[in-house]
Amino acid sequence: MSSVRISAASKRVAALLASALVVAGPALAQTPPAKPAPAQPAKPAQPAQPAQPPAQGGQPMVPAGPTVVQLKPEPTQTDWLKICGEDQAAKKKVCYVTRDFVSDQGQPVLAVAVYDVQGDPQKVVRFLMPLALLLGPGIRFGVDAGQTTAGKYAICFPNGCFAEGTVKDDVINALKKGTTLNVSVQNQFSREVSFQVPLTGFGKAFDGPPIDPAVLEQQQRQMEEEMRKQAEEMRKRMEQQQGQQGGGAPAPAAPAAPAQKQ
């Protein structure tokens, strides 16, 4: 039996990825491309901008480059997770390989899922991105120093927004052999931010067997039980803290007022 451990964050990501698949349609990889917008009339040429004044010391000012955010796998998720199922509407097998990633401080940042629909030459790469990013410019993603692919945002939830792009086998092969998946976006100040996602283990998971559904269900039940215990322990600690701040045990509740006669 598989020993893959699913973190609480991974479970939430998997649920959101599945729900977004339902919202966006049974076979995203088959969604026809949008019609191109009509050509806009050419704008008049703008006058050349004056050169930036030199900074102190006589050196010209150099525009700041993108902000690079290096990510690491979520610690309790030991590897990429492959899940397969049947698309009841399309009557096709759908598999996706997913993993979530955190910052150096352990804060959840984004998740990646690569969808493979049986018989479809295109694959869908979907990202659960953090909030406070510009949606209009979309995203660009590529492996190491290779060619990048454009993606666009599809839907947002309170804890993040989904962005996706379609790729073919050449990008999948690059993901299998590559070291880093670079995901470029723009923040609320229109500045470029590049998330660097490690790809270690992706190829093995993509080409390997999916996790046993029975194992997945069992681990989900165990995770739900662990989360319930954690919530109960937190509740008890809060009650103890409130009792200490009040100088002892909390006062007994006042008796209920008698019902008024009609």
Side-chain angles (χ1 to χ4, degrees):
M1 295 179 69
S2 172
S3 60
V4 175
R5 177 169 176 80
I6 305 172
S7 67
S10 302
K11 180 183 174 184
R12 290 193 297 269
V13 168
L16 284 174
L17 289 169
S19 64
L21 181 62
V22 174
V23 171
L28 283 173
Q30 296 180 349
T31 302
K35 296 181 179 180
Q40 299 294 328
K43 296 182 179 180
Q46 299 293 327
Q49 299 296 324
Q52 295 181 348
Q56 293 182 359
Q59 297 296 328
M61 296 178 62
V62 179
T67 299
V68 177
V69 181
Q70 295 182 348
L71 304 180
K72 60 182 182 180
E74 208 284 335
T76 61
Q77 186 183 5
T78 58
D79 209 339
W80 291 82
L81 185 66
K82 183 175 182 178
I83 301 175
C84 292
E86 185 76 17
D87 186 336
Q88 299 298 329
K91 302 298 181 182
K92 292 183 177 181
K93 181 180 179 181
V94 179
C95 294
Y96 65 92
V97 180
T98 183
R99 197 169 193 180
D100 45 315
F101 297 89
V102 299
S103 66
D104 290 336
Q105 293 75 32
Q107 298 297 323
V109 178
L110 61 80
V112 182
V114 180
Y115 284 82
D116 183 9
V117 181
Q118 182 182 23
D120 198 318
Q122 289 187 327
K123 311 295 188 291
V124 175
V125 183
R126 176 174 291 152
F127 303 89
L128 178 58
M129 303 297 298
L131 299 172
L133 298 174
L134 294 182
L135 304 183
I139 68 171
R140 297 199 69 86
F141 58 94
V143 179
D144 296 329
Q147 185 176 359
T148 60
T149 301
K152 61 181 181 179
Y153 286 93
I155 191 172
C156 288
F157 290 93
N159 64 331
C161 293
F162 283 100
E164 61 189 34
T166 56
V167 298
K168 294 185 178 180
D169 288 339
D170 56 338
V171 176
I172 299 299
N173 292 332
L175 289 170
K176 294 179 182 179
K177 301 176 182 178
T179 302
T180 304
L181 174 63
N182 301 299
V183 186
S184 297
V185 296
Q186 290 187 22
N187 63 13
Q188 65 269 39
F189 305 108
S190 299
R191 296 177 181 173
E192 184 179 356
V193 179
S194 179
F195 296 101
Q196 295 187 344
V197 179
L199 290 170
T200 303
F202 174 83
K204 181 180 178 181
F206 190 91
D207 293 332
I211 185 173
D212 187 339
V215 175
L216 178 62
E217 183 178 359
Q218 179 184 2
Q219 293 193 358
Q220 287 179 340
R221 288 199 301 265
Q222 292 175 351
M223 182 58 60
E224 290 174 355
E225 181 64 19
E226 292 176 7
M227 294 175 66
R228 187 193 65 78
K229 290 180 179 178
Q230 292 175 2
E232 181 65 17
E233 292 175 357
M234 182 178 297
R235 183 187 66 81
K236 291 180 179 179
R237 287 196 300 267
M238 292 179 63
E239 289 180 351
Q240 292 176 356
Q241 292 175 358
Q242 291 175 356
Q244 292 173 357
Q245 293 174 358
Q260 295 181 357
K261 296 182 179 180
Q262 300 294 332

